[in-house]
Amino acid sequence: MGISREDAAAIVQRNAMTTCTKLGSAEGRSFRDNLLDDPEVARRVSAAELDAAMDAKLHTAQVDRIFARVFGQGLGGVSTASRFAYAETALRGVRCAQWAGMYIQPQIHADAR
């Protein structure tokens, strides 16, 4: 059975804050690991589902289109690989944990569990 959207958001935010506040310390762990170790997440979402939701390729699939929309077509000297690398690096930032929560929260909230 799923849980309310608000409860799912609280679970994701709690784990995101734990990840962010302990980042770089001896106690620091990845957002993924914190989520998997949370009993409220683990009983609702498998590691494979979590990995699929956090796959950077899913979230960077439209990088070329977004760059073209934001910066116009004048990016002749910037390769697709460079744009993808930039987007992937941005995803790894501290805010990544909170951003990824938007995609993980629906998995936790699903009523079909």
Side-chain angles (χ1 to χ4, degrees):
M1 185 76 169
I3 61 175
S4 73
R5 183 179 308 192
E6 293 79 12
D7 289 344
I11 292 167
V12 170
Q13 290 170 3
R14 179 181 66 233
N15 283 285
M17 288 306 296
T18 298
T19 302
C20 290
T21 57
K22 295 183 179 182
L23 191 66
S25 73
E27 299 169 340
R29 298 163 23 124
S30 72
F31 183 50
R32 177 192 180 277
D33 290 343
N34 285 330
L35 284 168
L36 284 176
D37 285 347
D38 187 317
E40 293 183 89
V41 175
R43 70 173 171 248
R44 292 179 172 89
V45 180
S46 72
E49 289 172 311
L50 191 59
D51 288 342
M54 295 182 85
D55 185 352
K57 290 177 187 166
L58 171 71
H59 307 296
T60 57
Q62 301 300 321
V63 166
D64 286 336
R65 200 169 82 165
I66 293 166
F67 267 72
R69 242 170 84 192
V70 173
F71 301 110
Q73 300 299 325
L75 291 173
V78 180
S79 69
T80 298
S82 294
R83 287 180 242 166
F84 182 81
Y86 174 82
E88 191 172 21
T89 300
L91 285 175
R92 290 187 183 144
V94 172
R95 294 194 47 104
C96 176
Q98 294 169 338
W99 182 82
M102 293 185 301
Y103 297 93
I104 295 159
Q105 180 181 332
Q107 293 289 329
I108 297 170
H109 174 65
D111 292 331
R113 303 262 174 218

